[in-house]
Amino acid sequence: ETGVTQTPRHLVMGMTNKKSLKCEQHLGHNAMYWYKQSAKKPLELMFVYNFKEQTENNSVPSRFSPECPNSSHLFLHLHTLQPEDSALYLCASSQGGPRPLHFGNGTRLTVT
Amino acid sequence: KNQVEQSPQSLIILEGKNCTLQCNYTVSPFSNLRWYKQDTGRGPVSLTIMTFSENTKSNGRYTATLDADTKQSSLHITASQLSDSASYICVVTPMKTSYDKVIFGPGTSLSVIP
């Protein structure tokens, strides 16, 4: 059982839909992250929140909109996505410093 | 540009055999190097971490080595099991950066067959 829970596990959406990904961490960590993982590519950092404040927006298109209402919850709101946005979206949390990232099991997103 | 490369891209081995995965990086200076294991349909899980001053770290059948002079790390898996089938990702944290600036390699996909 991972300390970071993501829902849904799978999502298929059309290009005109609006959907949201949810992440919850039960580890008491200060920082939460969204990563995009595409086949055979390194993980791409999308957003970072530290104590609920966004500290990183890695040139992500505005069709991806993060929300962090508290240090335990993180959302990724999706609208008018493109087929190339199909990927595994991973949420992670950490206590900062050299401590490891703790990942959720991801949401497999398919944009049709 | 800071980069992390891994080889091979994929590997198939027989159950019980040993194997070694390679990681080359250009990140310098760096704070630590970590290996993650990612099972299919799961998020990555940390296996080992080494600081720049360490040259080996073990976790059960997994042994990671680090040569800071040649900027290479390897992950050796001994007596492989079917459950070792996964993607193995090398991750380097640059020195004196915020903790979210880790650099991921593309991973090596390992398949262990009976």
Side-chain angles (χ1 to χ4, degrees):
Chain A
E1 179 68 32
T2 177
V4 179
T5 304
Q6 289 187 244
T7 55
R9 290 298 310 276
H10 301 273
L11 178 62
V12 179
M13 58 186 289
M15 294 168 62
T16 58
N17 291 159
K18 288 185 179 181
K19 296 287 185 182
S20 295
L21 310 185
K22 179 182 176 182
C23 176
E24 182 175 0
Q25 60 102 354
H26 315 278
L27 301 169
H29 289 163
N30 304 323
M32 296 187 76
Y33 312 74
W34 280 117
Y35 283 91
K36 176 183 179 183
Q37 186 175 35
S38 303
K40 297 193 174 23
K41 288 186 177 180
L43 270 71
E44 300 173 47
L45 178 64
M46 299 176 72
F47 301 104
V48 180
Y49 280 83
N50 189 20
F51 290 102
K52 300 189 302 177
E53 299 297 321
Q54 185 173 313
T55 58
E56 185 81 22
N57 177 342
N58 224 16
S59 302
V60 179
S62 59
R63 57 185 183 270
F64 295 91
S65 174
E67 178 190 359
C68 188
N70 56 62
S71 57
S72 297
H73 293 85
L74 186 65
F75 295 90
L76 187 62
H77 304 299
L78 316 171
H79 65 97
T80 59
L81 294 190
Q82 304 298 310
E84 60 264 29
D85 296 322
S86 298
L88 181 67
Y89 288 84
L90 290 163
C91 173
S93 70
S94 79
Q95 196 67 327
R99 299 176 183 84
L101 295 165
H102 292 258
F103 288 90
N105 287 328
T107 294
R108 172 66 63 184
L109 174 66
T110 302
V111 181
T112 61
Chain B
K1 181 182 176 183
N2 287 332
Q3 285 187 312
V4 177
E5 297 177 347
Q6 293 186 244
S7 62
Q9 186 176 76
S10 61
L11 182 63
I12 301 174
I13 63 172
L14 291 175
E15 185 179 10
K17 297 296 186 183
N18 303 335
C19 68
T20 300
L21 313 180
Q22 299 290 344
C23 172
N24 295 332
Y25 58 93
T26 59
V27 182
S28 183
F30 74 97
S31 172
N32 62 71
L33 185 148
R34 196 184 294 274
W35 284 90
Y36 282 84
K37 178 187 179 188
Q38 184 175 17
D39 292 316
T40 301
R42 301 276 188 174
V45 175
S46 179
L47 281 177
T48 64
I49 179 174
M50 290 177 290
T51 66
F52 63 89
S53 61
E54 296 177 294
N55 54 29
T56 188
K57 185 68 69 77
S58 291
N59 178 358
R61 294 179 297 102
Y62 301 100
T63 299
T65 63
L66 174 64
D67 185 333
D69 292 332
T70 61
K71 294 185 173 58
Q72 294 181 326
S73 176
S74 64
L75 181 68
H76 186 72
I77 304 175
T78 304
S80 61
Q81 301 176 359
L82 298 178
S83 59
D84 292 330
S85 295
S87 180
Y88 292 85
I89 303 171
C90 177
V91 183
V92 181
T93 303
M95 184 77 78
K96 294 183 180 178
T97 64
S98 56
Y99 52 83
D100 53 295
K101 299 295 187 193
V102 295
I103 300 171
F104 289 83
T108 291
S109 177
L110 174 65
S111 296
V112 181
I113 60 175

